[in-house]
Amino acid sequence: MPKRIGRAPASRALAAVVAFLTLTLSVAFSSAANADDLEDRKAAIEAEKQKVQQDYEYLGEDIAETVAKLNIYKGQLPAAQQQLADAEGRVDSAAGKVSALNERVALAQNTHETITAQIEKDREDIAATEKAIGQIASQAYKNGGVPSTLSLMFGAKGADSLTDSLGMAEQALKGQNAAVEKLSQQNANNVNSEARLSAVAEEISKLKAQAEEALKAEQSARDAAAAEKQKVDDLVAQTTAMNQELEAQKPKLQSQMASLEKESAQVTADIAEKQRIQLEEHRKREQARIDEANRAAAEEAARNNRPAPPAQTVPQPGSPSSFGLRHPVIGSPVSSGFGWRGTPEGTIDFFGNGGYLHSGIDFAANCGTPVYAPAAGHVWRADQGQGEMIGTGNRIVLNHGVVKGNALATNYYHLSGFTVSVNQWVEQGQLIGYVGNTGNSQGCHLHFETVLNGNLVDPMGLL
C-alpha cells in the first residue's frame, strides 16, 4: 500500500483558491481563444490531473488539479521564455536595422549638403566667369571690336608698335577663349552636380521610407516582445500562486500522511510478523527433518561399519518465482508501477524524504472487473476500511505460505466487494473479489502488492 492520503472534503479556502486558479487560467488563455482551444486546454488539464493521481494516489482531487495545472504551466514556461528571447532578438535586429538606415540617411544628407554647397560655389564661379567674358566683350566693343591683323599693321608706326599691337590682340583673344572654355567646364560640372544631387535626393527619400518601415517593424517587434513577456510573467505568477497553495496544504497533507504512514506500516508489520513465524516454523521443520535424516544416515552407517556421510544442512531459499503467480486481473494494463515517487514539484517534503514508495502496482481495470487469486493460499484478511483515513478501502490479504524457503502474501485494495472470507482456502485462479474505487482512490483500479519474507517487493518480478 503506498503511503497515501484518503479523500477529504476541500476546505473553503482551498475551494476558493482552486476557483481563483481556474478563473486565472481562463483569463491567461486569452480572450481571443476560441471554444475549441479552451476545450483542448481543459482536456489537457484533466489528462494531466489523472496522471498526477496515478502517480500520487495520496493526493485529493482538488490538490491533484492544482498540481496538474502547476505541471502544465511549468511545462509551458521554458517555451514561453524561449519565445520571449526570440522576440527580444527580433527587437535587437529591428533596432539595428533602424540604426543602420538612420546612419545611411545621415550620410546621404551630408552628401546632399556637400553637393548643394558645391553647386552654389559653381554658380558663383560661373557668374564671375560670365562677368569676365562680358567685360572683355564690352571693352572690345568700345574699341570697335578686336582689330584685324591688317589694320594693326597699317596703324603701326614702327616695328615695335606693330608688335605691341599684335601682342595685345593675341592676349585679348587668349583671355576671351580661356574664359569661354572655363565657363563651358563650369557649366558641365554644374550639370553633373545637379544630376548627383537629384540621385542623392532620391536615395534619401528611399532610405527614409525604409527607415520608417523599419521603425514600424521595430515597434511591432517590441509589442510582440512585450506580449511574450506578459505571458512569461503570467506563467511565473500562476506557478508561484499554485506553489504557495500547495505549500499551504502541507500541514493537512503531513497530518494525513502520518496517519496513513502508520496504517500502512502496521499492515506490513502484521504480515511481516506472521511471515516471520511461518519462516521460523518452516526452518524448524526443515531442521528437524534434516536432523532426522542425518541421524538415520549415521545409524545406517554404524550398522554397516561405514563412515558416516557428510551431514545435510537446511537449503538456502530458492527463487520466489516458484510461487508461479498469475495476473490477478485479465487483460488490464499496469497504469502505475512499483517504486519511488519523487515529491510533486518539490512542494511536499514527505517528512524530509523527498518522496514516497508506491508499494505495489496499479491495474487500470473498470469497476466490477473480476479479481482472481494469483496462486493458492489462505485468506488472512477480507474486510472493509473504516473511516475516511483508511486508504485501502475494501481489501483482501492472501497468504501463499512458504515455498522453497520464501514466504509470500499478496494484497488487493480498493475493491468494490469480495467473495471470500477470513481463513478460507482458495485455489489459483479462483474469484476472490471485484475491482472498485473504495478508500483513497480517484478512479476504478486495483492496487496489488506482494510481501515477500516481510518486505514489500515489486510484483512484476513475481508475475
Side-chain angles (χ1 to χ4, degrees):
M1 174 64 185
K3 301 170 186 178
R4 303 174 297 178
I5 290 175
R7 290 181 294 177
S11 65
R12 287 190 178 88
L14 179 59
V17 171
V18 171
F20 168 75
L21 290 174
T22 303
L23 177 60
T24 304
L25 175 64
S26 299
V27 173
F29 281 158
S30 154
S31 59
N34 58 37
D36 289 341
D37 290 337
L38 293 177
E39 287 302 318
D40 289 344
R41 291 183 174 102
K42 288 178 182 178
I45 290 175
E46 185 61 29
E48 181 64 20
K49 184 175 74 174
Q50 291 177 4
K51 180 178 181 299
V52 168
Q53 288 173 329
Q54 287 178 357
D55 290 342
Y56 309 102
E57 291 180 295
Y58 60 87
L59 292 181
E61 185 171 356
D62 47 3
I63 300 177
E65 182 170 353
T66 302
V67 173
K69 291 177 181 177
L70 179 60
N71 289 348
I72 287 176
Y73 283 139
K74 285 199 170 182
Q76 292 174 341
L77 189 56
Q81 290 172 327
Q82 183 58 53
Q83 289 172 354
L84 172 58
D86 293 344
E88 289 175 340
R90 289 191 292 272
V91 169
D92 291 342
S93 176
K97 186 173 182 179
V98 169
S99 177
L101 285 169
N102 285 337
E103 290 179 1
R104 290 178 62 188
V105 168
L107 180 62
Q109 286 177 332
N110 287 337
T111 302
H112 188 277
E113 292 172 358
T114 300
I115 294 174
T116 300
Q118 183 63 47
I119 289 174
E120 184 62 29
K121 182 177 181 304
D122 288 345
R123 285 174 178 169
E124 291 177 356
D125 290 346
I126 288 172
T129 302
E130 288 176 341
K131 181 178 180 181
I133 292 174
Q135 288 175 345
I136 293 173
S138 175
Q139 187 63 37
Y141 176 77
K142 290 178 179 180
N143 294 331
V146 177
S148 65
T149 303
L150 185 61
S151 63
L152 286 173
M153 291 177 61
F154 284 119
K157 295 182 179 180
D160 291 340
S161 176
L162 177 60
T163 300
D164 290 341
S165 295
L166 289 172
M168 290 176 60
E170 183 180 4
Q171 184 177 358
L173 288 172
K174 284 182 178 181
Q176 186 175 18
N177 290 338
V180 171
E181 184 178 351
K182 181 179 180 181
L183 179 61
S184 176
Q185 183 62 42
Q186 288 173 334
N187 279 323
N189 290 341
N190 189 54
V191 169
N192 183 55
S193 295
E194 290 285 356
R196 287 179 60 207
L197 185 65
S198 177
V200 170
E202 184 177 355
E203 182 183 8
I204 289 174
S205 178
K206 289 180 180 179
L207 287 174
K208 284 185 175 180
Q210 292 176 13
E212 185 175 350
E213 289 301 317
L215 193 60
K216 290 179 181 178
E218 179 189 5
Q219 187 57 51
S220 177
R222 290 188 185 279
D223 292 343
E228 295 299 336
K229 184 177 186 304
Q230 186 60 50
K231 290 179 184 178
V232 171
D233 290 345
D234 288 345
L235 286 172
V236 170
Q238 288 158 357
T239 53
T240 299
M242 283 179 260
N243 266 318
Q244 291 172 347
E245 171 55 25
L246 290 177
E247 187 72 22
Q249 293 301 311
K250 272 189 178 181
K252 183 178 80 170
L253 288 171
Q254 300 291 28
S255 175
Q256 293 175 333
M257 289 284 290
S259 297
L260 286 173
E261 175 84 6
K262 182 178 179 180
E263 175 198 350
S264 179
Q266 186 61 55
V267 170
T268 304
D270 289 346
I271 294 174
E273 177 59 20
K274 289 181 178 181
Q275 289 183 333
R276 185 193 66 77
I277 295 171
Q278 281 183 319
L279 289 169
E280 181 63 21
E281 291 176 347
H282 173 77
R283 189 195 65 77
K284 288 179 179 179
R285 287 193 300 270
E286 283 293 294
Q287 188 63 58
R289 183 184 64 79
I290 293 298
D291 290 345
E292 178 60 25
N294 287 336
R295 185 191 62 79
E299 290 178 353
E300 177 69 19
R303 283 195 299 269
N304 295 305
N305 286 325
R306 294 196 306 266
Q312 298 182 38
T313 59
V314 176
Q316 293 297 314
S319 171
S321 62
S322 300
F323 286 96
L325 293 189
R326 299 178 183 175
H327 282 237
V329 289
I330 299 174
S332 297
V334 173
S335 58
S336 184
F338 175 93
W340 187 256
R341 296 287 186 272
T343 300
E345 299 301 329
T347 56
I348 306 167
D349 62 12
F350 298 98
F351 315 105
N353 294 328
Y356 79 105
L357 175 68
H358 186 238
S359 51
I361 60 176
D362 293 340
F363 288 96
N366 295 326
C367 283
T369 299
V371 179
Y372 303 101
H378 278 101
V379 179
W380 265 351
R381 302 189 72 164
D383 54 25
Q384 297 175 332
Q386 300 296 320
E388 67 175 3
M389 296 308 295
I390 302 299
T392 62
N394 296 332
R395 60 185 168 180
I396 294 174
V397 179
L398 293 184
N399 165 36
H400 302 288
V402 178
V403 176
K404 291 190 176 181
N406 294 299
L408 178 67
T410 52
N411 302 332
Y412 312 80
Y413 297 146
H414 312 311
L415 301 173
S416 62
F418 36 80
T419 61
V420 294
S421 57
V422 175
N423 294 324
Q424 179 181 341
W425 176 263
V426 296
E427 299 291 345
Q428 186 179 55
Q430 182 175 331
L431 178 68
I432 60 174
Y434 301 94
V435 172
N437 189 29
T438 58
N440 182 59
S441 174
Q442 303 298 330
C444 297
H445 74 286
L446 172 68
H447 179 83
F448 176 65
E449 293 181 350
T450 48
V451 184
L452 182 69
N453 302 328
N455 299 305
L456 287 160
V457 299
D458 187 355
M460 297 303 294
L462 300 173
L463 291 171

